[in-house]
């Protein structure tokens, strides 16, 4: 697989450096397609032939992007204070790739922590920072390993896997792929949901990753892998050993209050109706929100804004916010 520079020298640190990288070899696809040209093979493998034709139509080149320098990450540190250790690691790896023709290599990472502390939100923000796309693969809904690596075209209902689709149908050679709740993967003795990751998380083997449906090698070595989990005990050691593991703690009281303040401002600023409300949240509202995980803060604030608007008030008050359902702790709200 090859790459060529589109922007030899970035004029400003705020702009991404873009290269084009081949994610498959067209000659390999053309040979596979040629074998399906007789009438019987066309009818039997119509979907596979369509995939090959689509690959040749789109071509093998995809954008490989990276920040042109070490970007200003201060807003992310402020927005995600409990992810400081993870952000430090990303910053180091971005620094290695600056002022060079090397692509950005981010070691696969596992974000380990309680539900609702912002792991998936962090992944979205990281994708935006790096200038690449993000794809979410929820492992809790996966029951077979072929959903990542594709299923044999000989099977009824066969189709390519998520990695193939992301690279072949997407725009980037180095997308962020989030394997969400990797500890919830379910399978049987025949199909290991995590089986494909043994090759995909290793740079050398990922360069020639073969999707079982298309049976064509694709270069998945530039994919930026982020996995999330609540409990690492369900993850096989060989998978854990391929990743940097970060135990993400819930934000402390001061950090949670700062997150709530930023979230109030963000929601207000994103909506036209925000002009009806005061620019800053009331202190007692922030105090209440600080006891909630970040995921619940947003839901609570949306309820609070709505209730305050019904009362034609410019200030969200504590009584506008939902409270935790009895006996459920932080799970669920009573409106």
């Amino acid at each position: 697989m090859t790459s060529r520079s589109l922007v030899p020298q970035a004029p400003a640190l705020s702009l991404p450096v873009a290269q084009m990288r081949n994610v498959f070899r067209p000659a390999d696809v053309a040979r596979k397609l040629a074998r399906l040209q007789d009438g019987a093979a066309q009818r039997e493998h119509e979907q596979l032939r369509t995939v090959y034709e689509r690959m040749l139509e789109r071509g093998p080149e995809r954008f490989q992007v990276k920040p042109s320098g070490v970007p200003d990450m201060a807003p992310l540190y402020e927005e995600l204070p409990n992810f400081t250790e993870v952000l430090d690691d990303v910053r180091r790896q971005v620094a290695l790739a600056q002022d060079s023709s090397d692509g950005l290599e981010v070691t696969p990472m596992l974000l380990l922590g309680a539900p609702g502390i912002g792991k998936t939100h962090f992944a979205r923000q990281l994708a935006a920072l790096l200038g690449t796309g993000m794809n979410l693969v929820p492992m809790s809904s996966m029951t077979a390993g072929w959903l990542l690596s594709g299923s044999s075209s000989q099977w009824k209902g066969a189709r390519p896997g998520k990695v193939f689709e992301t690279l072949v149908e997407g725009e980037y050679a180095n997308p962020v792929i989030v394997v969400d709740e990797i500890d919830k993967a379910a399978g049987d003795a025949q199909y290991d949901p995590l089986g494909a990751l043994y090759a995909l998380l290793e740079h050398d083997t990922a360069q020639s990753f073969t999707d079982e449906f298309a049976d064509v090698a694709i270069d998945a070595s530039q994919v930026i892998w982020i996995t999330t989990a609540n409990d690492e005990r369900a993850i096989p050691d060989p998978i854990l050993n391929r990743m940097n593991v970060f135990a993400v703690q819930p934000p402390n009281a001061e950090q949670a209050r700062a997150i709530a303040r930023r979230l109030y401002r963000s929601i207000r600023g994103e909506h036209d109706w925000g002009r009806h409300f005061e620019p800053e949240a009331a202190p007692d509202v922030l105090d209440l929100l600080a006891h909630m995980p970040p995921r619940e803060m947003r839901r609570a604030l949306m309820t609070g804004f709505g209730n305050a608007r019904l009362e034609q008030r410019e200030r969200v008050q504590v009584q506008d916010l939902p409270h935790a359902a009895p006996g459920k702790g932080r799970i669920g709200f009573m409106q």
Side-chain angles (χ1 to χ4, degrees):
M1 309 296 177
T2 60
S3 64
R4 58 184 176 84
S5 177
L6 285 183
V7 185
Q9 186 172 2
L13 290 182
S14 60
L15 297 177
V17 174
Q19 300 183 77
M20 297 301 287
R21 186 180 182 93
N22 289 349
V23 297
F24 62 86
R25 296 182 179 88
D28 295 345
V29 180
R31 281 195 296 271
K32 294 284 186 180
L33 180 60
R35 297 173 185 172
L36 303 178
Q37 292 308 311
D38 66 86
Q42 283 192 22
R43 289 190 298 273
E44 185 178 352
H45 299 288
E46 182 177 355
Q47 185 179 1
L48 183 58
R49 181 170 54 84
T50 300
V51 168
Y52 290 153
E53 290 173 347
R54 173 67 173 162
M55 292 176 74
L56 294 176
E57 178 187 354
R58 290 211 66 206
E61 292 189 326
R62 300 292 181 270
F63 288 109
Q64 180 181 4
V65 297
K66 65 178 180 180
S68 57
V70 180
D72 178 15
M73 296 174 63
L76 275 184
Y77 279 97
E78 184 179 350
E79 180 180 353
L80 301 162
N82 51 328
F83 286 82
T84 294
E85 185 181 1
V86 194
L87 290 169
D88 286 346
D89 188 60
V90 171
R91 194 163 180 263
R92 283 190 292 268
Q93 296 185 68
V94 171
L96 288 174
Q98 69 172 326
D99 301 326
S100 75
S101 59
D102 294 337
L104 174 64
E105 292 186 26
V106 177
T107 303
M109 65 179 73
L110 169 63
L111 305 180
L112 190 64
I117 61 173
K119 300 186 292 292
T120 304
H121 177 67
F122 166 83
R124 294 187 189 279
Q125 296 299 94
L126 178 61
L129 175 76
L130 300 179
T132 187
M134 192 199 95
N135 294 267
L136 184 67
V137 182
M139 293 297 285
S140 59
S141 64
M142 298 179 67
T143 58
W146 52 262
L147 290 177
L148 268 179
S149 60
S151 55
S152 171
S153 61
Q154 304 296 324
W155 294 0
K156 183 179 180 180
R159 58 175 296 171
K162 299 287 188 179
V163 177
F164 180 92
E165 289 179 347
T166 298
L167 292 170
V168 172
E169 294 295 336
E171 301 296 328
Y172 300 100
N174 61 337
V176 172
I177 297 183
V178 180
V179 183
D180 200 30
E181 296 186 312
I182 190 174
D183 54 329
K184 303 294 194 303
D188 55 35
Q190 188 175 1
Y191 303 114
D192 178 6
L194 305 182
L197 291 177
Y198 290 93
L200 288 167
L201 296 180
E202 289 281 6
H203 184 272
D204 291 344
T205 53
Q207 291 185 72
S208 297
F209 177 75
T210 300
D211 181 90
E212 289 189 34
F213 178 84
D215 194 27
V216 174
I218 55 174
D219 183 358
S221 64
Q222 303 304 302
V223 171
I224 299 169
W225 291 98
I226 301 177
T227 67
T228 73
N230 305 139
D231 187 349
E232 79 277 19
R233 290 174 295 180
I235 306 171
D237 285 340
I239 297 292
L240 285 174
N241 293 338
R242 286 165 163 79
M243 301 184 289
N244 287 341
V245 180
F246 298 95
V248 181
Q249 300 300 320
N252 60 36
E254 181 181 351
Q255 292 172 338
R257 208 170 188 277
I259 290 172
R261 181 182 296 110
R262 285 182 59 89
L263 193 55
Y264 176 94
R265 295 171 180 169
S266 174
I267 294 174
R268 178 182 177 273
E270 290 170 357
H271 298 87
D272 180 61
W273 48 253
R275 57 190 168 85
H276 296 297
F277 295 96
E278 294 183 349
E280 296 292 338
D284 56 347
V285 168
L286 294 178
D287 291 339
L288 180 58
L289 290 170
H291 292 285
M292 304 177 186
R295 179 190 296 166
E296 294 182 8
M297 285 183 191
R298 175 174 289 275
R299 301 205 316 264
L301 273 171
M302 291 300 292
T303 298
F305 278 122
N307 286 333
R309 186 66 181 146
L310 285 173
E311 298 294 328
Q312 298 295 306
R313 281 188 273 104
E314 296 181 351
R315 168 171 288 209
V316 177
Q317 299 178 359
V318 168
Q319 61 264 30
D320 296 322
L321 301 178
H323 57 277
K328 292 188 177 180
R330 290 185 171 184
I331 303 176
F333 285 133
M334 295 293 288
Q335 301 297 332

